[in-house]
Structure formats: structure tokens, C-alpha cells
Amino acid sequence: MTVAPSAGLERPNDTSLVGAIAIGRVEGGEETNPLWTSQVDSEDFRGALTESLRNHGLLSEGGAPRYVLNGHLLGLQQPMFGANMTVTSAVNYELVDAASARPITGETVQTPYTAKWNDAFVGVTRLRLANEGAIRENIKEYLNRLYRKPPTDVPVTLSQ
């Protein structure tokens, strides 16, 4: 679920995000029930978000962060069955000023990912791959949005 360093993200000219973001609250995930469908739990999502920020030099490690990133996994739209399985993830991200605890930006990102029938023979495995891909693409899209429009440290109205 982690966005690799070679994921083809847009690179900003503004370096104010480098080493500036700590992970705050990460919630909304569900544990997988082995008798039902694959899910993504909050701890796995937190790990993917943390590693993705680290991979792109944005994670604050050791020093005081400038921002805190909260993530709320709103849900995964999953198929019940199928040859190709497309899962759409919806995550609400909130970037908060670490010093004042005031929200800087907030937005909901929705991204699909399709695991094809030849990615895995077993449907449950294909669904897990689609879940992981949907989360990875979601984090990647959020990072691209941050790069395109870095925070200005002026609180804004949260949007969806």
C-alpha cells in the first residue's frame, strides 16, 4: 500500500514540505474478517501513510513537525465477485498546523484501483490486491495534490 519513491509523483519547487509532516490520527479502517471480505485496518493504513511520506522525504523525523496529517478512511467500495475487481477508496485528509492545531487544509480523495483476473487466481487475493492498490493510489493522489498546491499556513474551510 506504500507509495514507492519511484512512483512518478510530481516534484514541487517549494521545499517547505520536506521533513515537515508528522502523522496524527489515522482512523476508520476495519480489520479483515477471514469469513467475509478483505478490508484495510487503521494500523496498516497508518503504516502505508507513514512510509509513503518517508519515501518522499516529507516525514518529520527527529525534529518538531511543521504540520500534522490526519487521515480518516471513509470506506472501500468493493465488488462482491468478478474477474477484474475494482475497489474505490475514499479518505478524508486533514493537514493541521502543528503549533496552533488549526486546520490548514482538508479534503476527501477518492481513487479506484483494478486488480485484473490474471493478478491472482483466487478472488479473495484479487480483492486484497485491489484494496491495497486503491489505498496506494489514494495516498499518491493526495501527495500529488499537496505538491501542486502546498499549504499556505492560512486556515481554510474544509472541503470535500
Side-chain angles (χ1 to χ4, degrees):
M1 292 190 297
T2 301
V3 180
S6 60
L9 288 174
E10 300 170 13
R11 282 297 189 191
N13 292 331
D14 180 359
T15 59
S16 67
L17 293 173
V18 174
I21 304 173
I23 301 296
R25 291 184 325 275
V26 177
E27 55 196 16
E30 296 180 27
E31 287 189 36
T32 296
N33 178 340
L35 301 176
W36 193 233
T37 60
S38 175
Q39 297 293 323
V40 174
D41 69 27
S42 294
E43 284 307 307
D44 288 342
F45 179 48
R46 171 185 285 282
L49 196 52
T50 301
E51 286 303 310
S52 296
L53 290 177
R54 181 175 286 126
N55 286 345
H56 295 277
L58 304 179
L59 188 65
S60 175
E61 298 185 272
R66 185 171 181 185
Y67 304 105
V68 175
L69 179 62
N70 299 317
H72 184 84
L73 178 57
L74 300 173
L76 299 170
Q77 293 178 342
Q78 302 171 313
M80 292 301 288
F81 55 87
N84 294 335
M85 293 190 178
T86 299
V87 171
T88 299
S89 62
V91 178
N92 182 268
Y93 296 97
E94 179 186 47
L95 195 64
V96 175
D97 180 274
S100 69
R102 291 175 37 196
I104 301 296
T105 64
E107 62 186 302
T108 298
V109 176
Q110 292 187 353
T111 53
Y113 182 84
T114 301
K116 300 190 184 317
W117 67 271
N118 59 349
D119 291 339
F121 178 71
V122 178
V124 173
T125 304
R126 234 178 5 265
L127 182 58
R128 180 182 54 77
L129 293 173
N131 285 343
E132 292 172 356
I135 294 296
R136 182 177 50 255
E137 291 302 310
N138 197 288
I139 295 169
K140 181 179 176 182
E141 175 59 23
Y142 179 70
L143 293 179
N144 269 327
R145 289 181 186 190
L146 266 181
Y147 285 164
R148 282 192 297 267
K149 187 177 179 194
T152 60
D153 293 351
V154 176
V156 296
T157 303
L158 301 181
S159 65
Q160 291 199 13

